[in-house]
Amino acid sequence: MQTDLVSEQFEQQGFVLIKQLIESSAISKLQNFCQHLDDEAKSHYFLGQSLDNIAIIQNADTLHISRINSLFLFEPQFACLLAHTKLMSYIEAIIGEPALPTYESIVIKHSQDTHGFDWHRDMPVSTQTPIITVGIYLDDAKAEHGALKVIPRSHCSPLSVCDIKRQLTNSELMSLDVTACAGDVIIHHVNTVHSSTRQEAQAIRRTIYFEFRALSHLINNPIFPNEWIKKRQALIKNIQTLSAKHLQHDIQLPSDFYETQIQMEAAEYCIEFTK
């Protein structure tokens, strides 16, 4: 997909689906990394060990890992995605200048989880350069897999999420299902109102998420310390200088990479109380 078309659709619609951007060989490796993390987290849980940055769902005797934050802490090899030339070129074309990832996580949806994600904005903010969420799909995400639903052009809307939900209920707005296959990437503006239903199919759905912001935004935003920015810049530089062969084994994370905790802006959900 041409870069200008990606940028144009993102600007107009608030999201863009890029088909088969990540090669099948890379997806296979990422799936293996994810399965290893899942097994390791469950083992730590049963041993009573700490599970910081890991969310767990337990139904009866069944245990499932639903989310892992600070992803590079558990498996630095996920950072190989930051060396994916096409992915990074799309990201910087959309943002319009050099950008850095501000968080990285993986979400794992299971049929045993009875909840989806209600309509929300990742972040109700107004910035000179767009802040984006990048979803890299390790598995297919059809309707029965709790596929992403978006409200096109809602990234430009001044309406609250509650107002938009009312318009959906009254058929004044239409949502769009964005189905994806393993290897696809969906990029959306943090202001784009979106949701996903519960996972009804038995297969799991694993998605790696990054948030990216313009370097100029980070430098001028007091919540991001200069030392934190430098660590992320150094990680990107180091990864992008590694050869494809060394990317498979030689990604190393500084021991203090996650030492500084950033309090990110809150998401916007609709919470209404009945009288």
Side-chain angles (χ1 to χ4, degrees), residues 91-92 95-102 127-132 211-221 224 229:
I91 289 168
E92 295 200 349
I95 291 177
E97 63 175 85
L100 289 177
T102 45
T127 57
Q128 289 186 333
T129 54
I131 301 173
I132 63 174
E211 178 191 275
F212 278 88
R213 305 192 190 202
L215 179 58
S216 64
H217 167 88
L218 296 173
I219 292 172
N220 294 313
N221 191 326
F224 297 100
I229 295 172

Side-chain angles (χ1 to χ4, degrees), residues 3-272:
T3 302
D4 57 345
L5 294 179
V6 169
S7 298
E8 182 180 348
Q9 182 176 331
F10 176 88
E11 184 176 352
Q12 292 177 355
Q13 302 294 320
F15 76 96
V16 61
L17 166 64
I18 308 170
K19 300 293 294 180
Q20 297 300 285
L21 179 59
I22 310 300
E23 300 79 4
S24 59
S25 57
I27 289 296
S28 179
K29 291 174 184 177
L30 294 168
Q31 289 171 337
N32 290 335
F33 293 151
C34 184
Q35 186 59 54
H36 173 73
L37 284 186
D38 189 278
D39 294 341
E40 193 173 60
K42 288 175 182 175
S43 175
H44 288 179
Y45 176 84
F46 289 120
L47 291 172
Q49 297 175 349
S50 173
L51 288 176
D52 291 343
N53 296 299
I54 298 176
I56 289 177
I57 296 172
Q58 187 165 18
N59 295 324
D61 297 328
T62 306
L63 181 74
H64 296 288
I65 309 301
S66 63
R67 187 182 189 103
I68 301 176
N69 293 330
S70 301
L71 189 57
F72 301 158
L73 179 66
F74 300 94
E75 178 49 81
Q77 291 302 121
F78 281 106
C80 69
L81 289 163
L82 301 177
H84 194 287
T85 305
K86 287 186 178 179
L87 174 63
M88 296 303 295
S89 67
Y90 286 140
I91 289 168
E92 295 200 349
I94 288 172
I95 291 177
E97 63 175 85
L100 289 177
T102 45
Y103 80 74
E104 45 283 332
S105 66
I106 188 162
V107 172
I108 307 171
K109 298 188 76 170
H110 305 266
S111 59
Q112 289 79 5
D113 183 3
T114 57
H115 302 286
F117 293 93
D118 197 8
W119 292 105
H120 67 283
R121 286 186 171 103
D122 291 340
M123 193 187 308
V125 296
S126 177
T127 57
Q128 289 186 333
T129 54
I131 301 173
I132 63 174
T133 299
V134 178
I136 298 165
Y137 285 75
L138 303 188
D139 304 286
D140 293 349
K142 312 298 184 184
E144 63 269 25
H145 301 137
L148 178 70
K149 297 176 181 288
V150 302
I151 309 296
R153 298 177 294 280
S154 56
H155 64 305
C156 298
S157 174
L159 297 177
S160 69
V161 173
C162 287
D163 288 336
I164 287 176
K165 284 186 67 175
R166 292 188 199 101
Q167 289 193 351
L168 282 171
T169 301
N170 296 332
S171 299
E172 299 171 26
L173 277 178
M174 296 293 291
S175 65
L176 178 68
D177 290 340
V178 187
T179 60
C181 297
D184 292 353
V185 173
I186 300 176
I187 303 175
H188 70 261
H189 197 294
V190 293
N191 275 332
T192 297
V193 178
H194 60 288
S195 69
S196 64
T197 56
R198 66 178 296 268
Q199 175 93 350
E200 296 180 3
Q202 290 301 310
I204 62 173
R205 195 202 85 183
R206 298 163 292 187
T207 311
I208 298 170
Y209 288 103
F210 291 96
E211 178 191 275
F212 278 88
R213 305 192 190 202
L215 179 58
S216 64
H217 167 88
L218 296 173
I219 292 172
N220 294 313
N221 191 326
I223 72 172
F224 297 100
N226 188 50
E227 191 61 31
W228 182 93
I229 295 172
K230 287 182 177 179
K231 288 177 185 177
R232 299 227 156 208
Q233 287 179 300
L235 176 65
I236 292 277
K237 182 178 180 180
N238 291 339
I239 289 173
Q240 293 182 346
T241 57
L242 291 175
S243 66
K245 177 181 178 180
H246 290 112
L247 269 175
Q248 300 179 28
H249 309 289
D250 293 352
I251 297 178
Q252 296 184 1
L253 199 71
S255 60
D256 62 349
F257 187 76
Y258 286 109
E259 184 177 85
T260 301
Q261 297 297 309
I262 304 297
Q263 185 65 46
M264 298 291 190
E265 299 89 339
E268 179 194 359
Y269 282 83
C270 177
I271 302 175
E272 296 184 305

